[in-house]
Amino acid sequence: MAACARGLPLRGLRLRAASGLALLRGPAAQRLSRDVEIRQQFVSLEEEAALLRELEPRLQRQRYQREHWDRAIHGYREIEKSHWTEQNEAVVQRLRDIAFPPGVPQLSMVHVLDLGESGFINPHVDSVKFCGDTIAGLCLLSASVMRLLSEDNDADQVDLLLERRSVYILRGIARYRFSHQILRDEESFFGERKVPRGRRVSIICRNLPQVPDTG
Ligand code: OGA
Ligand code: MN
């Protein structure tokens, strides 16, 4: 049962504020720690394998694309997905449940992004037209470093260590006032530590932008 699994000490370990700083590095780490959440070992190896079993046939129908014309993503393929096997649906639901309070309208389509081993994502802020205040990503197959860069001050940055099978959630200023990027292998360091970037598949859930209340 999902609720039970969430209670396991290693599963969904909440790393925020003080303890979360171990996975956040940089001048803005303290300030951003409120708006960044990282949960290690969010899925088991078996759950990761089951997700990939379902995703691979669709992903492998595509070739890796060199560059997306407007979205800063290089060496990738992607799908959007609304239906999952029962087992995988439960995992996606678990992700939605930790990221969004009950009743928050979400994109029904889950975004699956497959970065090849030389793929990377340049700094960008997700469209405010299509995506609400929260971005939640489950990272499969490879660890990576996500860099958040202040839109106001280049010196204001923080690196997140995203281990394989972890989840990150960006909210508030981390979503709106900082761009995010995934470093390419050559640049993939967390402080002194090399974080080898292999092929990485992310499963991303987003909420809908809030419609202004016109009364
Ligand atoms: C994106 C993005 C991050 C990830 O697709 O806009 O930033 O974890 N993806 O794959
Ligand atoms: Mn993005």
Side-chain angles (χ1 to χ4, degrees), residues 25-209:
R25 282 185 74 99
Q30 189 73 51
R31 192 153 65 81
L32 275 182
S33 61
R34 259 192 39 194
D35 286 335
V36 175
E37 193 176 328
I38 296 174
R39 298 196 185 202
Q40 303 219 70
Q41 299 183 43
F42 185 77
V43 292
S44 66
L45 281 166
E46 293 73 25
E47 286 169 330
E48 179 190 50
L51 286 163
L52 289 164
R53 263 199 307 279
E54 181 167 2
L55 294 172
E56 286 291 18
R58 274 189 64 190
L59 288 172
Q60 285 178 11
R61 253 181 261 148
Q62 298 180 34
R63 270 195 212 154
Y64 284 109
Q65 300 179 49
R66 293 262 290 283
E67 181 174 358
H68 191 287
W69 61 277
D70 73 338
R71 278 190 33 223
I73 308 182
H74 298 253
Y76 74 101
R77 44 196 187 184
E78 67 187 343
I79 57 179
E80 289 193 300
K81 196 164 164 59
S82 52
H83 296 288
W84 300 82
T85 63
E86 198 178 336
Q87 181 189 5
N88 291 338
E89 176 64 35
V91 173
V92 172
Q93 190 57 47
R94 215 160 79 211
L95 177 60
R96 293 185 186 278
D97 286 347
I98 62 157
F100 308 103
V104 167
Q106 299 172 34
L107 273 83
S108 56
M109 289 287 204
V110 176
H111 178 200
V112 178
L113 182 67
D114 175 350
L115 283 181
E117 57 187 13
S118 57
F120 60 95
I121 306 179
N122 276 332
H124 68 281
V125 176
D126 284 19
S127 162
V128 294
K129 231 164 97 184
F130 300 111
C131 164
D133 62 7
T134 303
I135 302 167
L138 167 60
C139 310
L140 305 179
L141 285 180
S142 172
S144 63
V145 176
M146 177 178 274
R147 176 163 296 160
L148 306 184
L149 206 56
S150 168
E151 293 275 277
D152 309 311
N153 170 8
D154 274 359
D156 224 2
Q157 71 173 50
V158 52
D159 287 347
L160 315 183
L161 177 60
L162 303 178
E163 298 277 17
R164 177 177 177 186
R165 296 190 286 122
S166 70
V167 159
Y168 67 87
I169 304 173
L170 307 180
R171 303 185 167 96
I173 59 167
R175 184 266 182 266
Y176 289 117
R177 297 306 314 149
F178 284 68
S179 64
H180 53 273
Q181 58 186 297
I182 296 284
L183 302 183
R184 65 181 88 201
D185 181 56
E186 300 92 287
E187 298 165 359
S188 189
F189 287 86
F190 186 67
E192 300 289 293
R193 174 179 161 191
K194 172 71 186 170
V195 180
R197 248 296 316 288
R199 177 186 174 214
R200 171 184 184 270
V201 172
S202 54
I203 296 180
I204 306 163
C205 295
R206 299 178 170 95
N207 58 348
L208 288 164

